[in-house]
Amino acid sequence: MYVYEEMIDGKKLTEIINETHENVKYLPGHKLPPNVVAVPDVVEAAKDADILVFVVPHQFIVRLCSQLLGKIKPDAVGLSLIKGFDRAEGGGIDLISHIITRNLKIKMTVLMGANLAGEVAEEKFCETTIGCKDKTLGPLLHALLQTPNFRVSVVDDVDAVEICGALKNIVACGAGFVDGLGLGDNTKAAVIRLGLMEMVKFTELFYPGAKSATFFESCGVADLITTCYGGRNRKVSEAFVKTGKSIKDLEDEMLNGQKLQGPFTADEVNYMLKNKNMENKFPLFTAVHKICIGEMKPQQFIDAIREHPDHNLLEA
């Protein structure tokens, strides 16, 4: 396991993990199996791997790929758990799995689902979705990853699985604003519903060919609900409304070094929507972005929801 090296109470994090079998910074209180070895050099960690599992904040992926290029098995396969997009030239956005494929020349699959890390580590039952087009690789990944408490479904709708994993973090920020404003569960339910509709419409518009059934997999509606009630994007967005502090300050205070994906993703999505003059077609995504960057007050979020032209989302 590649671990970004940092000092914790005067000791290297990798040494702590290898001696105590616990990631005391990012997953405290959970013992890791002794065969999981923390390695501070990403090339050393990945060089002999048949399957590379990518789980880093999405803003670091290009740099990581440049370090790995030519240093991994040519027939290695990638599995991305990264939830986000990157900006592409020409005013569009790029899927992270596409970036990895392009940079490393390897076959990519994705895993997305209602999988809050602490609950997975506690072995509470949950489901997940793997997007994989390869008919032989899908069963292999299923066999490797499924446990009695981690139920895996494999679908071939890879792009839609990944898009769901990214977009739901924007909706979760909206849910957090609702919580911060004390608007209640009915309003939050409206945000979740309208957010899901925008997720579907976004996928249909920009990545046509997605199957509607994919949105009912764990990567879709289940992950959306979980994140809107229990995820860090929701939690920080609630604090953003209640404290008036910046997203960056709250990230530093509340996430212990982890990165918040929702505002980043909202920014990348808005970059594309603005370039295509389509902000008005996605009022929830647009409002979340504008609130995160200070162009709108959180109190105005409810206006974007109240006046949401959701019938437009159902049009072809």
Side-chain angles (χ1 to χ4, degrees):
M1 176 174 71
Y2 163 62
V3 172
Y4 177 75
E5 191 69 279
E6 49 194 308
M7 302 302 289
I8 309 289
D9 297 329
K11 197 164 186 179
K12 292 178 179 177
L13 180 57
T14 52
E15 290 178 2
I16 296 171
I17 292 171
N18 292 333
E19 288 171 12
T20 67
H21 305 296
E22 182 181 348
N23 189 331
V24 293
K25 179 160 188 185
Y26 297 111
L27 199 63
H30 298 288
K31 287 294 178 185
L32 299 170
N35 63 328
V36 175
V37 179
V39 180
D41 179 349
V42 69
V43 173
E44 180 66 26
K47 66 180 182 183
D48 295 320
D50 298 301
I51 297 173
L52 297 165
V53 182
F54 293 86
V55 204
V56 296
H58 74 278
Q59 49 269 45
F60 302 133
I61 196 61
V62 173
R63 189 173 73 201
L64 198 77
C65 286
S66 68
Q67 293 174 268
L68 291 173
L69 183 61
K71 310 282 178 56
I72 58 174
K73 284 186 172 183
D75 59 348
V77 173
L79 176 68
S80 174
L81 280 62
I82 301 171
K83 297 180 175 180
F85 301 113
D86 202 6
R87 292 190 181 195
E89 291 179 15
I93 57 173
D94 231 344
L95 297 186
I96 302 302
S97 65
H98 293 192
I99 293 171
I100 298 171
T101 292
R102 208 165 50 243
N103 281 275
L104 288 181
K105 312 290 188 277
I106 61 173
K107 188 182 293 182
M108 282 299 299
T109 61
V110 300
L111 182 149
M112 306 281 156
N115 308 141
L116 297 177
E119 294 181 17
V120 176
E122 288 164 8
E123 298 191 63
K124 293 177 178 175
F125 177 81
C126 66
E127 300 177 311
T128 200
T129 310
I130 291 178
C132 175
K133 289 190 187 303
D134 188 311
K135 293 287 190 286
T136 56
L137 184 57
L140 172 65
L141 292 172
H142 182 277
L144 280 171
L145 292 164
Q146 176 144 300
T147 74
N149 291 314
F150 192 73
R151 182 175 177 272
V152 178
S153 295
V154 181
V155 301
D156 62 4
D157 201 3
V158 182
D159 286 355
V161 171
E162 183 169 0
I163 292 163
C164 283
L167 292 179
K168 57 96 188 185
N169 282 328
I170 304 177
V171 186
C173 290
F177 298 152
V178 167
D179 288 340
L181 293 165
L183 294 173
D185 285 336
N186 293 340
T187 307
K188 192 193 279 195
V191 168
I192 292 170
R193 184 186 77 84
L194 293 167
L196 179 61
M197 292 182 76
E198 289 197 11
M199 287 166 61
V200 172
K201 186 64 176 178
F202 184 93
T203 309
E204 287 176 349
L205 268 176
F206 301 118
Y207 296 88
K211 298 169 184 170
S212 58
T214 303
F215 297 95
F216 295 95
E217 294 285 345
S218 183
C219 63
V221 66
D223 195 9
L224 178 62
I225 292 168
T226 296
T227 311
C228 285
Y229 277 92
R232 58 182 181 259
N233 289 282
R234 186 218 63 79
K235 185 167 69 172
V236 173
S237 296
E238 179 183 10
F240 175 75
V241 175
K242 287 182 171 177
T243 66
K245 294 179 181 178
S246 72
I247 294 282
K248 176 72 176 71
D249 286 346
L250 290 168
E251 187 181 65
D252 292 343
E253 277 180 33
M254 299 174 67
L255 298 186
N256 194 30
Q258 290 181 306
K259 293 294 178 187
L260 199 65
Q261 297 300 306
F264 270 113
T265 307
D267 181 66
E268 286 146 359
V269 166
N270 188 259
Y271 169 74
M272 182 160 88
L273 294 179
K274 198 168 190 176
N275 276 309
K276 296 181 182 295
N277 199 28
M278 293 180 75
E279 285 179 298
N280 63 330
K281 290 190 180 296
F282 295 88
L284 190 148
F285 290 171
T286 301
V288 168
H289 169 66
K290 288 184 174 179
I291 291 168
C292 286
I293 64 170
E295 280 188 16
M296 265 175 71
K297 293 189 182 306
Q299 290 74 13
Q300 294 173 275
F301 182 61
I302 193 61
D303 295 328
I305 303 308
R306 186 182 286 121
E307 298 162 13
H308 198 291
D310 63 353
H311 58 278
N312 290 351
L313 290 172
L314 298 173
E315 294 170 4

